[in-house]
Amino acid sequence: MTIAFSKKLSRRNFLLASSCAIGAGSVAMMGSRYRALAASKHVFELDDLANRDVFTSCGMCVNKCGVIARVRNGVIEKLDPNPHFLKSRGMLCARGNAGLDTVYSPDRIKYPMIRTGERGDGKFRQASWEEALDLVAKNLQDLAEKYTRAGTVFVSTEGYQEHFFTTFAECYGSPNTLRHPSLCLASNIQGFGATYGTNPTPDVLNADYLIMSGANRSEALITPDSIDMLTGEGGKRKVVYLDPRFTKTAAKATEWFPIRAGSDMAFILAMTNVIVTEGLYAKQFVADMTIGFDELKTHIEQYTPEWAEAECDIPAADIRRIAREFAAAAPRAVYYQGRRSSFFDNDTQMRRAMAILNGVIGNWDQPGGMVPNSSIVLERHDYLAPWYDGVPPRLDSGSASYLSEKDGSWKYFRDRVIEGKPYPVKGMMIYKQNPLVSVANRQKTLEMMEQMEFICTIDITMNDTAYYSDVILPEATYLERLDPIESLGGILPVVTTREPCIKPMYESKPNLWIIQQLSKRLDDEIYASFDFTMEEYRHHQLRNRPDITKALKEKGVFYEKTTPTYGDTYGKRLKTKSGKIEIYSEKYAQKGLDPLPVYSRPADIPEGRYRLILGRNAYLTHGTTANNAYLHDLMPENSLWLNAGEARKRGLRNGQVVKVTSSLASEQLKLFVTEKIRPDCVFMSHGFGVITSGQRLLQGKSGSDAALIEDNVEPISGNIAMHQTFVEIHPA
Amino acid sequence: MKTKRFAMVLDSSKCIDCKACTVACKIENKVPMGQDNYRNWVAEGPLRGKFPDLGQSFQPGQCMQCANTPCDHVCPTGATRVNRDGIVLVDDHKCIGCKYCITACPYNARYYNEVTGAVDKCTFCVQRIYRGRQPACVETCPTKVRVFGDLNDRNSEVSRLLVKHAYKVEKPEMGTDPFLFYII
């Protein structure tokens, strides 16, 4: 299959805006923050002063909730939830509402910039697009000649226009794309994938019994789970929550257990022990749909609730009771797998244990159980990546047992860049990812960046990574762009759209335009893969689907069903090698990995130190939104949570500034003395303690977790293991 | 036209303190930035118990749209008034910023808006509700803690909820006769 439309349509300037000054009349309509912007004489275009309500989708986190943007006099005045948007249950969270500030923040990157001082000095000059793009293209060519095309790494994270960036990497000829999953779901996907052949979605809405370990759904919002968790039928729903911290999910849970960090697998194995030894498992289901149950039966004998009590600090009687309740509620019972990075280096096996526990109670593809995702298929664009001779394989090849060829592993990749082995990587193209904030061991990321000969960042704000770049290209925000149509899989899949509410402000451009401009400068053969407008791209995606086109226009969302279908996979082969649920993994055995999850106790916390743990809150998305004015109002800084008893013992006071020291760095932040955390752990929020001076609200405030956390790794998936760092605390 | 009695019924047990309501309100009603400027809020209840036996509740609040309005009583210029449907409003032009009403309000539901030079407060989003829309906080809430409607309509959801559930109001001892009802 080839691209359906003619190349004659090429070289049209897509959303290419010429600037004109904003009229005084419309200025009067805006809020004070916006007025200040206009007064600063930054020129931007507003050619459409009509009042419009635009269906679009949120870009503040990964959920992509439905939004209606209320545009008045050419200004986005308010973002409202789209009531038709099934997946988000018609809601919009604090971040979604605050999305306005993404567009109107004074800290946006307004025009292309070229570094003039030393890296990290923050000295840049404004450049024309022409000059900046020429410079990037020249560097990409020079790097290819000096170091082969693998000498440049393409770093990016998810978003509706990320596809063009990774495609560009492929067409340029670099095997080295480095994405976010090794800081995120890689181990989860691996553990469930090895068991089920897919990573299913828990049917939270219909579950009667939910166990969440470290999945803080009331703060780490995931639609629709966060909402559905609180929508139990007549109080029938029970939520058991395990977390070293008393979070807002703990406040909502039926029972909370402050589990010892890193012992979740012991809890899961002990539950499995009870369910198997007491014969509470789904016998027919296990016989029909799984392989390796006999091996499990023997393997699980050692993991008694009494054994687990000592590991988890959860009474054996409770573990036994919860296991029995869980089995009794089956199949409407779910051990919820969460959605986060690895915390420990056994995370894939811990996920395997979760998958197996769900498997033996037979909740697979049942109401209230683990349901495989379905999705609505859109027409794909094909592209032809040119072939280049002499390009070596990925830099991190052969590192993790199951390395994703597309995503890579941040930990292994960065180490090898610093070592310069097996080959040098001297160029870095970055889209939307902010590794200086998101990757553990910030000092190492700086080392990696310092040895680069060229770094280009495409982003919307002057974050730490942009600050350390040589060229910065301003992208239009999610409220200013036309994006590809996006199909979101799930129990109830939807198709979403993202439409421009206003034209891109300042000189910002959509990523596709930036990629097209770079491609043109590199090679006609590369450009051929991007020779279309976004309108044409979308049109092609929706070819033969007038129903989707119509629904997106009328409701801003398309879906085929509003109630789940279950059981479609029964009687069919699953996508595992055996076609069944693999309790015992032959695949793992052949690779020399434990074919059944084997518990290993995390290292003891040394005397006088604490385990540093991480987590989310509902106001911030990773490192991307702390500088948002509305969200900053909710959370102006982070603090270090310390158990009240420990604080008393140490003579530390609430609110005092402390120095937190790990093996890597020291950071200073205020102490939050609370009963809400285990005495052996401390906690801090992510996204603060930035280096850049380009994020005004964050400058000089509180501490960075990325600076403190050691870059331990989960070796099966290559995921960073985030909870293996110990810190000392002293008064600052 | 028959008058309405607008009210809100809240089920705080569903509140996860995500503060979507707070941000939605700030933007919808152009409330200036800053933690001291707000038309609504989510109060973190006191932490109950000691580690590891803990409990905590979250309770959203805003102007209680009282029937017996201390803010109205103390206003020297008549800037605060109650409309025919029971909504307590402030007339920006009549407000002289003396802040008596802020002191008089037992719920701390009013603030002084530096931009407009007048005291400001929740209006149930009058600009929305008379056009058939929901207040911004109601519409945006993920777990749908708040339900808004007309108590003079016995078929409205608010009326039904108050028949079905036991409820309380905040500070009944103040005699303010509030119209925000919290399901117990």
Side-chain angles (χ1 to χ4, degrees):
Chain A
M1 218 172 359
T2 53
I3 297 171
F5 36 77
S6 155
K7 280 195 182 173
K8 276 188 289 188
L9 295 164
S10 66
R11 291 174 197 275
R12 285 207 307 230
N13 290 331
F14 175 64
L15 289 185
L16 192 65
S18 63
S19 298
C20 72
I22 181 172
S26 52
V27 175
M29 300 298 293
M30 300 161 201
S32 54
R33 191 179 172 86
Y34 196 45
R35 268 199 298 275
L37 252 183
S40 72
K41 297 218 166 46
H42 288 303
V43 182
F44 45 90
E45 171 169 8
L46 285 174
D47 76 332
D48 183 1
L49 295 178
N51 295 343
R52 299 187 299 144
D53 292 339
V54 184
F55 284 123
T56 188
S57 46
C58 188
M60 294 296 282
C61 80
V62 301
N63 283 300
K64 319 286 190 302
C65 300
V67 168
I68 303 174
R70 312 288 179 185
V71 183
R72 301 291 176 262
N73 299 297
V75 176
I76 310 168
E77 291 227 312
K78 176 80 174 66
L79 301 172
D80 284 330
N82 179 353
H84 305 295
F85 206 88
L86 193 64
K87 181 176 176 285
S88 51
R89 308 285 189 250
M91 73 93 195
L92 199 60
C93 76
R95 288 167 294 164
N97 276 281
L100 274 190
D101 198 57
T102 306
V103 180
Y104 298 125
S105 164
D107 289 342
R108 275 189 68 170
I109 302 166
K110 300 179 179 70
Y111 32 73
M113 292 201 277
I114 295 175
R115 179 169 65 81
T116 54
E118 291 295 304
R119 265 199 205 134
D121 279 357
K123 288 185 185 139
F124 293 90
R125 69 175 169 84
Q126 181 175 350
S128 69
W129 270 106
E130 199 68 21
E131 185 192 5
L133 291 162
D134 284 348
L135 183 61
V136 177
K138 184 181 181 303
N139 273 283
L140 285 174
Q141 255 146 359
D142 291 351
L143 285 159
E145 273 168 38
K146 270 167 86 176
Y147 302 107
T148 84
R149 286 172 185 267
T152 298
V153 56
F154 289 75
V155 173
S156 64
T157 191
E158 67 82 38
Y160 285 3
Q161 292 213 21
E162 190 205 8
H163 171 71
F164 302 121
F165 184 81
T166 49
T167 305
F168 177 65
E170 199 182 334
C171 292
Y172 168 78
S174 175
N176 289 320
T177 46
L178 192 52
R179 301 182 64 249
H180 63 283
S182 67
L183 313 166
C184 187
L185 281 173
S187 53
N188 197 353
I189 290 166
Q190 175 51 228
F192 274 78
T195 316
Y196 293 104
T198 183
N199 186 21
T201 296
D203 184 16
V204 173
L205 185 65
N206 296 300
D208 291 339
Y209 206 102
L210 275 172
I211 303 179
M212 302 209 153
S213 44
N216 181 11
R217 268 308 146 268
S218 291
E219 296 186 79
L221 301 181
I222 292 291
T223 57
D225 300 2
S226 294
I227 303 148
D228 291 351
M229 188 181 79
L230 290 173
T231 323
E233 295 168 47
K236 209 164 130 198
R237 160 92 42 80
K238 183 162 185 178
V239 179
V240 173
Y241 180 64
L242 314 177
D243 196 316
R245 277 194 310 143
F246 183 83
T247 63
K248 283 165 191 174
T249 308
K252 295 287 139 188
T254 325
E255 293 182 63
W256 166 63
F257 294 96
I259 189 169
R260 179 180 295 161
S263 69
D264 299 62
M265 201 213 273
F267 182 85
I268 301 162
L269 293 173
M271 276 187 70
T272 313
N273 172 293
V274 174
I275 288 167
V276 169
T277 55
E278 296 187 5
L280 306 175
Y281 58 97
K283 296 182 186 72
Q284 194 60 50
F285 177 87
V286 165
D288 294 346
M289 299 280 281
T290 70
I291 57 161
F293 183 75
D294 289 339
E295 287 91 336
L296 176 71
K297 228 170 160 175
T298 323
H299 176 73
I300 209 77
E301 276 171 13
Q302 55 187 314
Y303 300 123
T304 63
E306 286 68 24
W307 161 82
E309 174 174 323
E311 296 296 328
C312 310
D313 289 348
I314 299 176
D318 284 321
I319 300 174
R320 192 164 268 121
R321 172 181 56 81
I322 290 165
R324 288 170 184 160
E325 289 173 357
F326 187 69
R332 288 179 184 268
V334 156
Y335 200 102
Y336 186 93
Q337 75 265 49
R339 191 188 167 89
R340 57 159 164 85
S341 180
S342 298
F343 289 161
F344 290 87
D345 54 17
N346 67 353
D347 204 84
T348 293
Q349 292 288 8
M350 192 270 282
R351 305 299 184 164
R352 279 265 299 142
M354 281 183 182
I356 291 166
L357 173 59
N358 281 302
V360 297
I361 63 156
N363 70 11
W364 174 255
D365 210 358
Q366 295 274 353
M370 281 288 177
V371 181
N373 293 318
S374 46
S375 64
I376 299 161
V377 180
L378 306 174
E379 197 75 38
R380 287 169 63 107
H381 276 260
D382 286 327
Y383 58 91
L384 198 61
W387 175 259
Y388 303 95
D389 288 323
V391 181
R394 286 193 64 92
L395 186 74
D396 48 2
S397 282
S399 55
S401 312
Y402 289 98
L403 185 79
S404 160
E405 279 293 316
K406 190 179 178 196
D407 305 334
S409 162
W410 254 103
K411 156 70 184 172
Y412 292 118
F413 196 97
R414 187 178 59 187
D415 281 353
R416 291 188 185 181
V417 172
I418 293 169
E419 280 171 37
K421 284 175 188 162
Y423 55 83
V425 171
K426 295 290 183 184
M428 203 168 176
M429 292 290 294
I430 304 163
Y431 173 65
K432 210 175 174 275
Q433 205 181 39
N434 182 8
L436 279 171
V437 171
S438 58
V439 191
N441 197 339
R442 180 167 77 185
Q443 196 50 42
K444 258 196 191 175
T445 311
L446 281 171
E447 259 177 73
M448 171 188 182
M449 291 176 80
E450 272 157 18
Q451 69 88 56
M452 292 288 168
E453 290 175 14
F454 181 71
I455 305 172
C456 168
T457 291
I458 303 168
D459 213 319
I460 57 173
T461 183
M462 185 62 103
N463 59 33
D464 281 356
T465 303
Y467 196 73
Y468 270 87
S469 301
D470 303 324
V471 176
I472 309 171
L473 304 177
E475 199 201 9
T477 67
Y478 73 99
L479 293 166
E480 301 163 311
R481 301 189 312 243
L482 184 69
D483 275 358
I485 303 289
E486 193 80 9
S487 172
L488 306 176
I491 297 178
L492 296 174
V494 297
V495 176
T496 72
T497 183
R498 185 172 283 154
E499 318 260 343
C501 308
I502 56 169
K503 291 214 166 172
M505 285 175 61
Y506 315 110
E507 293 180 24
S508 66
K509 300 286 182 197
N511 188 41
L512 174 61
W513 182 90
I514 297 170
I515 297 298
Q516 287 170 330
Q517 295 300 315
L518 288 175
S519 304
K520 274 183 196 173
R521 283 164 172 79
L522 286 174
D523 194 312
D524 280 350
E525 218 181 326
I526 298 176
Y527 179 63
S529 286
F530 303 98
D531 188 6
F532 47 78
T533 66
M534 188 64 80
E535 287 85 348
E536 288 163 345
Y537 188 89
R538 286 164 53 103
H539 185 76
H540 180 74
Q541 286 182 297
L542 296 178
R543 209 162 55 120
N544 305 321
R545 293 306 300 262
D547 51 338
I548 300 183
T549 310
K550 186 164 175 275
L552 292 179
K553 203 169 171 188
E554 288 169 2
K555 295 193 294 186
V557 61
F558 172 83
Y559 39 83
E560 283 164 342
K561 55 183 180 185
T562 52
T563 48
T565 40
Y566 304 102
D568 279 356
T569 55
Y570 282 77
K572 291 181 193 149
R573 283 181 61 84
L574 301 184
K575 286 174 191 155
T576 53
K577 199 173 173 198
S578 62
K580 298 199 171 193
I581 297 170
E582 300 196 345
I583 292 175
Y584 180 94
S585 176
E586 192 59 51
K587 180 173 106 168
Y588 275 23
Q590 282 166 8
K591 266 208 184 247
L593 303 170
D594 292 331
L596 283 162
V598 175
Y599 181 73
S600 56
R601 179 182 300 176
D604 287 337
I605 302 169
E607 187 63 31
R609 287 199 269 174
Y610 301 91
R611 186 182 295 285
L612 177 60
I613 60 173
L614 311 172
R616 302 279 163 223
N617 62 65
Y619 322 133
L620 303 178
T621 303
H622 307 302
T624 61
T625 63
N627 192 50
N628 178 297
Y630 295 104
L631 302 173
H632 176 80
D633 244 16
L634 300 176
M635 188 169 178
E637 59 185 350
N638 63 355
S639 53
L640 189 80
W641 291 34
L642 177 68
N643 176 275
E646 281 297 308
R648 257 193 313 277
K649 231 175 6 188
R650 303 277 312 274
L652 296 167
R653 293 181 328 274
N654 188 40
Q656 90 177 87
V657 177
V658 289
K659 193 164 133 185
V660 189
T661 308
S662 74
S663 67
L664 300 175
S666 284
E667 291 284 296
Q668 295 197 0
L669 65 168
K670 279 184 196 152
L671 202 62
F672 173 57
V673 173
T674 177
E675 295 283 336
K676 294 183 180 182
I677 189 166
R678 281 175 63 97
D680 58 358
C681 295
V682 290
F683 162 81
M684 67 193 282
S685 266
H686 183 59
F688 293 89
V690 299
I691 306 168
T692 174
S693 59
Q695 295 187 313
R696 276 161 245 201
L697 300 173
L698 296 180
Q699 223 182 324
K701 275 208 183 131
S702 48
S704 159
D705 55 349
L708 294 169
I709 301 167
E710 295 162 12
D711 50 332
N712 293 293
V713 69
E714 197 287 313
I716 301 178
S717 64
N719 228 5
I720 292 262
M722 298 281 201
H723 281 182
Q724 298 190 171
T725 302
F726 305 118
V727 294
E728 282 177 32
I729 309 170
H730 298 288
Chain B
M1 200 171 68
K2 209 175 140 205
T3 59
K4 298 174 193 307
R5 207 331 162 174
F6 287 125
M8 215 174 250
V9 180
L10 299 93
D11 181 356
S12 298
S13 72
K14 287 185 188 165
C15 178
I16 55 174
D17 191 23
C18 73
K19 300 211 169 41
C21 51
T22 307
V23 179
C25 175
K26 273 204 160 175
I27 295 171
E28 172 68 33
N29 296 298
K30 300 188 169 54
V31 175
M33 298 285 180
Q35 291 185 343
D36 294 334
N37 303 323
Y38 56 84
R39 282 186 175 201
N40 69 15
W41 63 83
V42 183
E44 268 191 39
L47 190 66
R48 301 182 291 270
K50 287 257 173 228
F51 181 90
D53 301 306
L54 299 172
Q56 192 173 28
S57 309
F58 313 106
Q59 182 169 302
Q62 59 218 65
C63 170
M64 303 282 160
Q65 311 290 356
C66 307
N68 183 20
T69 45
C71 51
D72 186 17
H73 301 334
V74 300
C75 179
T77 65
T80 290
R81 63 188 171 84
V82 183
N83 85 353
R84 49 183 267 155
D85 300 326
I87 304 176
V88 183
L89 300 166
V90 179
D91 184 336
D92 282 5
H93 301 294
K94 284 191 187 166
C95 177
I96 53 168
C98 72
K99 304 179 187 170
Y100 284 179
C101 56
I102 294 180
T103 321
C105 174
Y107 305 106
N108 202 13
R110 292 173 162 242
Y111 75 98
Y112 180 72
N113 185 326
E114 298 277 354
V115 177
T116 61
V119 169
D120 190 39
K121 63 176 287 296
C122 164
T123 64
F124 277 159
C125 287
V126 279
Q127 70 279 19
R128 291 175 151 238
I129 57 172
Y130 288 110
R131 289 176 186 150
R133 297 187 60 199
Q134 294 284 310
C137 57
V138 173
E139 184 183 77
T140 212
C141 178
T143 54
K144 300 292 174 254
V145 171
R146 292 169 167 93
V147 176
F148 168 80
D150 175 16
L151 277 185
N152 286 352
D153 173 3
R154 53 187 284 270
N155 291 318
S156 68
E157 201 184 345
V158 280
S159 298
R160 287 165 185 274
L161 283 169
L162 292 191
V163 171
K164 194 169 177 207
H165 299 280
Y167 57 86
K168 60 166 189 171
V169 295
E170 280 296 286
K171 302 190 182 175
E173 69 280 6
M174 303 302 287
T176 52
D177 199 1
F179 272 73
L180 253 69
F181 302 95
Y182 293 89
I183 289 174
I184 301 170

